[in-house]
Amino acid sequence: MASRKTKKKEGGGLRAQRASSNVFSNFEQTQIQEFKEAFTLMDQNRDGFIDKEDLKDTYASLGKTNIKDEELDAMLKEASGPINFTMFLNMFGAKLTGTDAEETILNAFKMLDPDGKGSINKDYIKRLLMSQADKMTAEEVDQMFQFATIDAAGNLDYKALSYVLTHGEEKEE
């Protein structure tokens, strides 16, 4: 799993380390160039990162000068670290594909696992998915189960499934 870490750079500020990521493969080259242009427009101080002041300046350049600090902080908190270009692409990739963060999916499954076992009975989850909110068909649930680890007792490993849903492949053990 890609990790996001920060290191002290000379001068005392934080800088993002590169995360092993295939985010660039999710976009066409022309899209990446357009995102780079947008990033450059937003990175008002040209330090390679988008911070609160950059957001404030970007809004001001668009004529909105009454943006609240809380709104800016909420925007910055959507990132899991400093917003360099790779993080910017990751954020837009997640928004464009409509994929929830792994933690969000895990928390949803945990609500159905009061004992914290890390698994949920597959028949129970199938009934829920077919009868609640945006109801899934039996075929859609079975398709999801193809990517899930299910033990001999019929319990679905939701931690592994959450990983597959957000990363596209099961992690190597």
Side-chain angles (χ1 to χ4, degrees), residues 1-172:
M1 186 186 320
S3 66
R4 169 69 42 199
K5 296 179 182 171
T6 56
K7 278 189 169 177
K8 282 280 195 185
K9 68 178 179 182
E10 291 178 40
L14 290 175
R15 71 173 176 86
Q17 285 184 336
R18 288 189 183 262
S20 58
S21 170
N22 65 350
V23 68
F24 292 95
S25 66
N26 295 335
F27 299 103
E28 300 289 325
Q29 193 59 42
T30 54
Q31 290 175 303
I32 293 172
Q33 186 57 40
E34 289 170 359
F35 282 125
K36 185 66 175 170
E37 288 172 24
F39 180 85
T40 302
L41 285 171
M42 294 176 75
D43 183 19
Q44 299 279 317
N45 62 7
R46 304 288 183 255
D47 66 352
F49 296 91
I50 295 174
D51 58 23
K52 188 190 256 183
E53 288 305 312
D54 290 328
L55 289 176
K56 201 178 281 188
D57 292 344
T58 300
Y59 272 104
S61 73
L62 297 171
K64 185 168 182 178
T65 55
N66 59 345
I67 185 101
K68 296 183 177 117
D69 276 354
E70 297 80 40
E71 292 176 86
L72 298 173
D73 290 335
M75 288 179 208
L76 293 170
K77 284 182 184 168
E78 288 187 37
S80 60
I83 303 174
N84 62 9
F85 182 62
T86 303
M87 176 64 71
F88 185 78
L89 268 185
N90 275 314
M91 292 171 71
F92 271 94
K95 294 282 185 200
L96 292 173
T97 60
T99 304
D100 288 320
E102 184 176 3
E103 183 179 355
T104 303
I105 295 170
L106 266 174
N107 287 337
F109 277 123
K110 285 178 183 177
M111 291 178 67
L112 305 172
D113 181 21
D115 299 330
K117 297 181 294 186
S119 63
I120 303 169
N121 182 274
K122 99 174 184 170
D123 294 330
Y124 172 65
I125 194 76
K126 185 173 187 171
R127 277 194 311 277
L128 281 177
L129 292 172
M130 292 175 60
S131 65
Q132 306 294 317
D134 292 335
K135 296 177 179 86
M136 295 175 76
T137 65
E139 294 78 27
E140 290 170 327
V141 175
D142 290 339
Q143 184 180 13
M144 179 190 73
F145 285 160
Q146 291 175 3
F147 299 100
T149 304
I150 300 171
D151 66 17
N155 295 312
L156 177 140
D157 177 349
Y158 64 80
K159 290 177 183 177
L161 180 60
S162 297
Y163 185 88
V164 171
L165 290 173
T166 55
H167 300 280
E169 59 188 55
E170 200 163 346
K171 57 184 164 185
E172 305 276 325

